[in-house]
Amino acid sequence: MLTAKQHELLRFINTRLNDSGVSPSFDEMREALDLKSKSGVHRLISALEERGFIRRLPNRARALEVLKLPESSAPAAAAPRPVVPAAANDTIEIPLHGRIAAGTPIEALQGTEGFAVPAALLGPGEHYALEVSGDSMIEEGILDGDFALIRKADTARDGEIVVALIDNEEATLKTYRREGQTIRLDPANARYEPQRYNESRVSIQGRLAGLIRRY
């Protein structure tokens, strides 16, 4: 038996996966459930995981899979299935545009070399890779040295992790929020403050589509 909050969170995660194929961020889950802190979200997710309703997919940011809903022990019908890695030789080479700051913005998208990615990790659209520099997105599971797979896009919705270009010079990886004519770029580390810019200074260069970590 799930608590009311556990049931509410499970429904919210399942709806977002069905709508966009991307798990909601911890901030979005906290706001949707009217919780005071993300620690409450962590506890609810752990409880759902222990009861077999969801599971976290390893080495991918914001990756949750709904296994079943309360009404049935069968898998949730519309929830996306985990990505099955392609064969070792089934790869696609995408551009690698240097390092992207997950902390302070850095000079944007310098250098272009090839980066081989398993084809199964990429969905539709045009993609490129960026090496993450910094620790300001660690609460979203994005660590220094990870490779962010970015789907090219020039728009974003609140709560999506994006590559934002500031003043056509500096790029940063942050969670996107709009506040009237101001764009707020949120870190996922309590040590860092949100960055706010007039909308005319910010252009979206893509949305986070996946993550690759080398050990």
Side-chain angles (χ1 to χ4, degrees):
M1 179 73 73
L2 297 180
T3 67
K5 285 293 186 185
Q6 290 167 359
H7 190 277
E8 186 180 355
L9 179 60
L10 181 62
R11 286 290 190 185
F12 180 65
I13 293 170
N14 191 56
T15 298
R16 281 296 300 272
L17 285 171
N18 292 342
D19 289 345
S20 66
V22 179
S23 304
S25 69
F26 281 96
D27 275 329
E28 289 174 314
M29 289 186 272
R30 179 184 59 78
E31 291 174 4
L33 273 67
D34 195 26
L35 297 174
K36 293 182 179 179
S37 70
K38 286 189 278 191
S39 62
V41 176
H42 282 284
R43 286 193 294 270
L44 291 171
I45 287 177
S46 295
L48 290 171
E49 193 173 24
E50 289 172 5
R51 289 163 173 77
F53 287 94
I54 65 173
R55 72 171 172 178
R56 296 180 237 214
L57 304 180
N59 301 332
R60 297 177 59 199
R62 295 173 57 178
L64 296 173
E65 180 194 8
V66 175
L67 299 175
K68 62 182 180 181
L69 297 175
E71 295 81 5
S72 170
S73 60
R81 306 306 300 168
V83 172
V84 178
N89 61 349
D90 187 8
T91 62
I92 296 176
E93 189 167 283
I94 62 177
L96 173 62
H97 291 305
R99 291 171 69 83
I100 181 78
T104 305
I106 58 173
E107 191 174 358
L109 309 183
Q110 291 299 304
T112 302
E113 55 185 283
F115 186 75
V117 178
L121 290 182
L122 300 179
E126 190 175 353
H127 294 76
Y128 60 91
L130 294 167
E131 185 178 358
V132 174
S133 173
D135 62 357
S136 79
M137 295 301 287
I138 58 174
E139 291 174 16
E140 289 285 3
I142 304 172
L143 308 182
D144 184 70
D146 286 348
F147 291 89
L149 307 181
I150 307 299
R151 180 179 294 113
K152 285 189 176 181
D154 56 11
T155 61
R157 297 187 300 183
D158 275 11
E160 290 185 318
I161 297 176
V162 303
V163 175
L165 187 65
I166 315 300
D167 296 329
N168 291 318
E169 293 180 353
E170 298 173 323
T172 188
L173 185 70
K174 292 289 181 294
T175 299
Y176 174 93
R177 303 280 182 189
R178 174 174 283 277
E179 299 176 337
Q181 294 184 325
T182 298
I183 303 300
R184 191 181 87 212
L185 301 175
D186 287 343
N189 184 329
R191 294 171 50 209
Y192 295 87
E193 296 293 328
Q195 302 168 5
R196 289 179 170 84
Y197 303 95
N198 183 278
E199 62 181 354
S200 64
R201 298 179 58 193
V202 179
S203 60
I204 303 303
Q205 302 292 290
R207 300 192 291 262
L208 182 68
L211 203 66
I212 290 180
R213 182 169 301 151
R214 291 176 176 172
Y215 294 93

